[in-house]
Amino acid sequence: MTQTLPTHARVVIVGGGIIGCSVAYHLTSLGWTDVVLLEQGRLSGGTTWHAAGLVGQLRSHANMTGLIRYSTELYAGLEAETGLATGWKNCGSLSVARTDDRMTQLKRTAAAARAQGVAVEVISAAEAGALWPVMEVADLKGAVWLPGDGKANPTDLTQSLAKGARSRGARIHEKVRVTGIATRDGRATGVQTDQGEIAAEVVVNCAGQWARKVGQMCGVAVPLHSAEHMYIVTGRIQGVHPDLPVMRDPDGYIYFKEEVGGLVMGGFEPSAKPWGMDGIPDDFEFSLLPDDWNQFEILMENALIRVPQLAEAEVKKFYNGPESFTPDNNFILGEAPELRSFFVGAGFNSMGIASAGGAGRALAEWIVNGAPTLDLWPVDIRRFARFNTNAAWLHDRVKETLGLHYVMPWPNRELDTGRPLRRSPLYDRLAARGASFGSKMGWERANFFAGPGESRDIAYSFDRQNWHAAVSREVKVAREAVAIFDQTSFAKLLVQGRDAARELNRLCAADIDVEPGRTVYTGLLNKRGGYESDLTVLRLARDRFLMITGSAQPVRDMDWIARNLDPAAHAFVTDVTSAHAVLAVMGPKSRDLLSRITPADLSNAAFPFGTVREIDLGQGIGLANRMTYVGELGWELVVPVEMAASIYDLLHARGADLGLTDAGYYAIESMRLEKGYRAWSRELTPDITPLEAGLGFAVAWDKPAFLGREALLAARAQGPARRRIVQLTLEDGSRMLWGGEAVLRDGQPVGELRSGFYGCTLGRAVGLALVHNAAGVDAGFLHTGRWEVDVAGERLAARLHTAAAYDPKSERPRA
């Protein structure tokens, strides 16, 4: 029977796959019952129905792991709630290793799992064979076993979520195609369909591989691209039973699960096959693409090595179903920065079944609460910019990111496709000096500078990599002489207007209502007191401020500031990143060098720390900001892009006898960790407060009002925080830290490293960890106990530092 569409709903969800149904289910669970879900075909008919249905809990980010752990709990109880089967089976999963490097990676994974509270066991190849008896194990180094993992039936699960949503009032309409998004005054106000219009307070784009097209209807960037994903289903195989765990062989790019006594075998080939370059047909429902055995060949060859019985098994079905993939292999969640009340949940990179329960709840909470309830930065839609939706760029990038599922996740691994794109005006000069470039937010950035006879190509490893000597040289020069860091990729936001000071002082935790010519380090906090960003604010005039923030954050920070400004205030924020280059001149001889190209007085008395001033630089001009992120005397020169090359050349011409060198971002990472400086998205997140970060000094406690103040005052009144960021160094100077390693106190896991690197000045690895203790992380807790770091299953003795492990006297810290 045809249902008449309503003319109004509180929320309209576009798309009836598993994520759309999960959002509807969770919105109604939170009490928002006036929900309409529109599906252009039938529920699960887009990409959900042909998903393999694997549910693996562990992710590199603790909150992402938490979302999937919630999914497993939800799926386990959903049938009892709705009466509809979900196909959920807690069969566990195995991941096997063919190489020593892969075994090291699996051991690192196991340590991270333990730090996140996920049950895991490192087992031998023989033990893996006992759990998965149809597997060839002679070539394996070992495996990890996660007993909490499982599998589900995607279509049944979707129907069960839909029934749960309907039971609480949601209305689900199939065979209704959305043709447009209605907007007014920067907000989504409803949808247009082929059967009429629906006014709405909130619109949610869960349109799967059509989500980019739906975003284009209202000017919202949703960077995803479809690619073919293939698997086969076999007939019965002797030894395969219903309780067989899911098995992944990442060195062979393949996975297996049991199905009706046979096996589902699929994978993620290293070079994927994008699809839908000319658009995706609206009627592509419960449809598949043609078989492509040539593309599947690499997966089949590896599967025959792992399960020799496949050579004789019947192939009952070849599935080639397109799925949507994103530029970084993480899904997309959140309110669009371009359009208020328009939310996106899409781009699940073949992990939609595992993620949908937790992602649906997180997005529903974001909608109901008006902000995320936890740190979702790895999947936040604001991590992308508009250029990320370029079709040609997406096509090339997705060929690579699909394969990232099983490619070795080397520390600091750089992607190769879609580069170079955004380049500093110094790019060619840095390349001529031996720069090895990485990429962040599309920017090409020098990671290190190879010397004569050294390779710019990174030889990836879990131990020291081949750039170690080059970075050590750069750090030594920056500590003892002077170095130039090209930090042009820093985001720069201009806030101006007669109410700018008042508005920023309400958004910033520090007091930024200082005299023009002063620079203030501050956090932007949420109502929970957690960090939405940390940045420096340069007061250029009474009504003009330049905010310098991280390279990855311009869209997010712009959105945060704009949505929290009083609409009635005379204050405006503009992204001026591309107008300015930033040359950071750092080291004890930086004053000597700059004095050779400027008549400005750079003495401590005339130019103290935290001062910003426009000065002459050779024949050019720029802002000199006395600030440091490496712990040495130095200035960040914010100069017009068109003058950057001239100023850079002049610095090199005048600094040769001072030992001037170029240095890259790996040197910055080494030096900032030696000083214990925090970084946003790692030590500073929406879940971590200044009290937990050890940055209470950067809070203006006496300010009458700023966002997050009440939460901070309440937390301070409770005594020592139960979590805290601390600095650790390894006692063994030959070992390496990368971040993500488990931290132990007296043999018990108490946290994980949020950042790790080699401290070239200290001569040992250094990291910043978030540690926790229910009774409070106080001095007694920190100064007692035996501290260790779990590096791939090996517990290494560590030293905890309550003051910076490296403490030069030349300069105060930025953070």
Side-chain angles (χ1 to χ4, degrees), residues 252-317:
Y253 320 114
I254 50 177
Y255 61 77
F256 299 84
K257 75 165 186 174
E258 182 274 340
E259 186 163 303
V260 196
L263 290 173
V264 170
M265 186 281 287
F268 300 96
E269 60 273 27
S271 181
K273 188 178 177 184
W275 178 76
M277 282 70 74
D278 298 324
I280 299 167
D282 289 334
D283 58 357
F284 192 84
E285 179 191 0
F286 291 109
S287 299
L288 294 172
L289 301 173
D291 298 356
D292 188 341
W293 285 99
N294 289 331
Q295 181 73 11
F296 197 70
E297 182 179 11
I298 188 171
L299 304 182
M300 196 69 200
E301 288 177 348
N302 278 290
L304 289 169
I305 292 171
R306 190 58 48 230
V307 183
Q309 286 178 253
L310 279 177
E312 307 299 326
E314 173 195 8
V315 177
K316 295 176 65 176
K317 181 69 175 176

Side-chain angles (χ1 to χ4, degrees), residues 727-788:
Q727 187 185 44
L728 292 163
T729 57
L730 293 184
E731 298 285 10
D732 183 346
S734 67
R735 306 303 295 269
M736 188 70 184
L737 294 173
W738 295 105
E741 295 89 350
V743 175
L744 303 99
R745 181 181 178 273
D746 291 336
Q748 298 300 312
V750 294
E752 65 173 352
L753 287 179
R754 306 305 293 256
S755 298
F757 212 69
Y758 196 82
C760 298
T761 314
L762 298 173
R764 56 186 185 273
V766 56
L768 292 174
L770 180 65
V771 300
H772 51 80
N773 180 40
V777 181
D778 56 13
F781 178 82
L782 296 175
H783 289 296
T784 59
R786 174 172 48 88
W787 292 90
E788 298 171 303

Side-chain angles (χ1 to χ4, degrees), residues 354-589:
S355 303
R361 183 180 70 169
L363 189 54
E365 290 175 347
W366 193 333
I367 293 166
V368 171
N369 291 285
T373 56
L374 72 165
D375 175 20
L376 295 171
W377 176 239
V379 297
D380 192 319
I381 189 172
R382 295 169 295 178
R383 74 190 187 274
F384 293 123
R386 297 196 65 79
F387 72 82
N388 292 119
T389 63
N390 176 281
W393 185 87
L394 274 172
H395 172 277
D396 292 349
R397 177 55 59 92
V398 161
K399 283 180 65 69
E400 183 176 17
T401 56
L402 183 148
L404 293 181
H405 282 76
Y406 289 160
V407 168
M408 189 73 75
W410 295 115
N412 286 353
R413 189 181 187 279
E414 297 284 351
L415 299 183
D416 299 321
T417 51
R419 298 177 54 192
L421 184 59
R422 304 176 77 184
R423 293 184 245 189
S424 154
L426 305 179
Y427 176 84
D428 291 340
R429 284 166 166 78
L430 302 183
R433 291 180 179 273
S436 174
F437 290 100
S439 179
K440 194 164 192 176
M441 198 54 157
W443 285 100
E444 293 295 315
R445 312 194 315 169
N447 284 333
F448 66 92
F449 290 81
E454 295 176 339
S455 175
R456 305 183 197 202
D457 296 328
I458 298 175
Y460 291 114
S461 167
F462 290 110
D463 296 317
R464 293 186 187 180
Q465 297 181 358
N466 61 326
W467 42 257
H468 185 88
V471 174
S472 295
R473 288 194 305 268
E474 293 169 25
V475 170
K476 181 177 175 64
V477 172
R479 292 280 190 229
E480 298 177 4
V482 59
I484 300 178
F485 301 85
D486 179 14
Q487 296 179 334
T488 297
S489 65
F490 276 3
K492 305 110 188 165
L493 310 179
L494 184 65
V495 182
Q496 52 191 335
R498 61 175 175 269
D499 298 325
R502 184 194 72 198
E503 288 297 292
L504 283 182
N505 225 20
R506 184 173 55 80
L507 300 185
C508 295
D511 185 2
I512 60 88
D513 195 5
V514 294
E515 289 298 313
R518 298 295 298 166
T519 295
V520 179
Y521 167 73
T522 187
L524 303 181
L525 309 181
N526 54 40
K527 292 180 180 178
R528 297 179 285 130
Y531 279 92
E532 293 296 328
S533 184
D534 85 311
L535 40 76
T536 50
V537 180
L538 288 58
R539 188 164 198 178
L540 306 181
R542 288 289 173 190
D543 60 352
R544 192 166 75 255
F545 298 80
L546 184 65
M547 307 178 81
I548 299 182
T549 184
S551 304
Q553 297 156 238
V555 176
R556 191 182 199 282
D557 286 3
M558 277 279 292
D559 178 71
W560 179 260
I561 294 167
R563 73 170 54 244
N564 283 287
L565 290 175
D566 182 347
H570 188 266
F572 312 93
V573 57
T574 308
D575 185 345
V576 295
T577 300
S578 297
H580 306 281
V582 178
L583 308 182
V585 181
M586 297 287 157
K589 297 182 181 179

